[in-house]
Amino acid sequence: MNTFDAQRQRVIAQAARIGLAVRRRNKHPYGWELFDRSEYVHASGDLDELMTWLADNAIHRESR
């Protein structure tokens, strides 16, 4: 597994812990989205930005 795949898998796993999913944006601006079951996008950007968002928001969401 290369570095990109490993990072993508970490983002997917962390998102799943707080009830979110990850998908690739195929239209400009390209990148990734964190979304919930209602399709609400909580964050978007590159994988590094999603990891930062997850780190900043995971504690608050897990305590709900």
Side-chain angles (χ1 to χ4, degrees):
M1 183 180 307
N2 64 38
T3 304
F4 171 79
D5 289 332
Q7 183 181 26
R8 183 173 50 86
Q9 289 300 322
R10 281 193 304 274
V11 170
I12 291 169
Q14 286 190 359
R17 282 189 209 118
I18 60 171
L20 299 176
V22 179
R23 66 180 166 211
R24 179 92 171 104
R25 261 195 333 242
N26 293 321
K27 296 181 181 179
H28 186 72
Y30 302 102
W32 299 86
E33 295 178 331
L34 287 173
F35 66 99
D36 60 24
R37 283 189 270 169
S38 68
E39 298 290 317
Y40 177 79
V41 176
H42 293 267
S44 62
D46 63 31
L47 292 174
D48 288 329
E49 292 169 321
L50 297 188
M51 285 292 287
T52 299
W53 188 94
L54 287 164
D56 292 345
N57 291 279
I59 294 171
H60 302 292
R61 292 184 59 86
E62 287 176 344
S63 63
R64 288 185 185 176

